[in-house]
Amino acid sequence: MAISQSGATATIPTQSTYQNRVADYWNAEKNPVNLELGKIDDLYHHHYGVGDAEWSVLDETDPARRQERITAELHRLEQAQAELLASHLGPLTSADRVFDAGCGRGGGSVVANLRYGCHADGVTISATQAEFANEQARARGVGDKVRYHHRNMLDTGFTSGGYAASWNNESTMYVELDLLFAEHARLLRRAGRYVVITGCYNDTYGQASREVSLINAHYICDIHPRSAYFRAMARNRLVPVHVEDLTQAALPYWELRRNAEHLVTGIEDTFLTAYKNGSFQYLMIVADRV
Ligand SMILES: C[S@@+](CC[C@H](N)C(=O)[O-])C[C@H]1O[C@@H](n2cnc3c(N)ncnc32)[C@H](O)[C@@H]1O
């Protein structure tokens, strides 16, 4: 089936029972930790955050103001993560096109567009998310350049070599890495840039820890070991140029979030234990497509 970037014909988004379950999860998802943070400036992220936190927000004595300040601080940290990722995509021009694999409610593509003026195609397996994100892009006045598609990131149907950069921000744990990186390698032009930010289990720990297994069960995902990323990249023409362990930088977000009684989802302590016992790492890998 021939399919263009304009998306006249759509592929069947899910290819397995598992992918149906993932789509159901994200179609139904309405966690305040995603929606309340996004409402602040209409940049909706479904990932965590990096950097030092402003801890004084916890000292706020007025209860309503305290919630408001914690929400804003968590959003600042998640926005910092999106900016960090976007900063590694460039240099890009406004004529370039980027691919946001597993785009959620769309914040990452808008961040890239704001920074570079580029075209962006976001892909999510959730029809609800794609619709929400397109509505946001239209309302922001960037609907001509930033588009979201209800498609499978393993099989987008987009044009080969049509992209200058692509990324996954916390969405690789839902798919087989070889299939995913093969699709990125197909879509990226030569010397195109690929960036991933992900939680991965630490090979030096041995196998996946109890906490990693709990996170998998919580999100219906399958966290890969760190080694799997490099093996799969090497097999798919993606050559790492920069690797950053963001584990320490991720801790303040989780410490703050566990104190945000209006936003907690119950997984906060598991993340903190996993990071602190060395079984789990938060990693950014930047690679060139050769
Ligand atoms: C944790 S969210 C991250 C969203 C986004 N990258 C962000 O940073 O805000 C995971 C996303 O992966 C998407 N996803 C999972 N499996 C997918 C697949 N096979 N194809 C496309 N999207 C998928 C989900 O629909 C969801 O949007």
Side-chain angles (χ1 to χ4, degrees):
M1 192 170 10
I3 297 156
S4 70
Q5 255 99 352
S6 63
T9 315
T11 46
I12 299 166
T14 54
Q15 298 170 336
S16 63
T17 307
Y18 169 74
Q19 289 178 355
N20 278 324
R21 294 289 167 272
V22 173
D24 290 347
Y25 176 96
W26 289 106
N27 281 332
E29 191 274 333
K30 288 196 172 75
N31 284 332
V33 78
N34 289 324
L35 293 172
E36 293 303 314
L37 275 60
K39 265 183 208 163
I40 292 174
D41 55 3
D42 290 333
L43 285 171
Y44 288 84
H45 300 298
H46 292 0
H47 54 248
Y48 313 125
V50 292
D52 290 336
E54 175 51 64
W55 298 108
S56 67
V57 298
L58 295 176
D59 302 331
E60 180 67 52
T61 48
D62 176 65
R65 180 77 190 123
R66 182 176 188 273
Q67 288 195 358
E68 211 177 287
R69 287 187 62 195
I70 294 174
T71 303
E73 184 58 8
L74 285 171
H75 184 53
R76 189 182 67 76
L77 297 176
E78 63 174 9
Q79 179 65 18
Q81 178 172 322
E83 294 286 355
L84 173 70
L85 190 157
S87 72
H88 288 280
L89 297 172
L92 297 171
T93 71
S94 59
D96 284 325
R97 187 171 282 277
V98 299
F99 166 48
D100 179 358
C103 62
R105 283 188 173 88
S109 285
V110 176
V111 168
N113 169 267
L114 288 172
R115 176 179 281 255
Y116 301 108
C118 57
H119 298 263
D121 285 303
V123 163
T124 168
I125 206 158
S126 155
T128 312
Q129 286 187 332
E131 200 180 313
F132 179 96
N134 276 323
E135 189 48 48
Q136 289 295 319
R138 277 193 290 270
R140 189 179 277 273
V142 294
D144 57 330
K145 290 200 109 171
V146 180
R147 297 220 174 107
Y148 301 93
H149 313 259
H150 176 212
R151 292 194 187 188
N152 196 317
M153 63 182 161
L154 302 181
D155 183 15
T156 60
F158 295 154
T159 305
S160 298
Y163 292 82
S166 67
W167 71 90
N168 285 94
N169 199 348
E170 281 175 27
S171 51
T172 46
M173 57 292 285
Y174 295 98
V175 292
E176 297 91 327
L177 291 181
D178 270 299
L179 302 182
L180 177 68
F181 293 160
E183 183 66 347
H184 280 286
R186 185 184 74 76
L187 294 175
L188 285 169
R189 69 186 183 206
R190 196 174 174 106
R193 182 48 72 75
Y194 173 70
V195 183
V196 55
I197 294 184
T198 186
C200 57
Y201 77 76
N202 187 356
D203 299 82
T204 65
Y205 186 86
Q207 288 286 338
S209 65
R210 177 173 181 274
E211 291 75 28
V212 168
S213 300
L214 288 170
I215 296 168
N216 280 337
H218 185 86
Y219 288 108
I220 325 175
C221 66
D222 188 10
I223 293 163
H224 304 289
R226 172 159 45 105
S227 57
Y229 284 88
F230 298 95
R231 287 207 188 94
M233 281 186 181
R235 283 192 291 258
N236 289 284
R237 309 181 64 161
L238 296 171
V239 180
V241 63
H242 177 74
V243 179
E244 201 167 327
D245 183 352
L246 297 172
T247 309
Q248 289 304 314
L251 291 176
Y253 169 90
W254 285 103
E255 295 281 4
L256 187 59
R257 179 165 149 175
R258 77 189 283 276
N259 282 288
E261 48 286 332
H262 59 303
L263 299 173
V264 288
T265 63
I267 199 67
E268 289 75 15
D269 285 333
T270 308
F271 267 86
L272 283 165
T273 306
Y275 283 142
K276 288 178 182 175
N277 71 17
S279 66
F280 190 48
Q281 292 174 301
Y282 205 43
L283 208 67
M284 178 171 69
I285 308 171
V286 181
D288 289 328
R289 195 285 203 182
V290 298

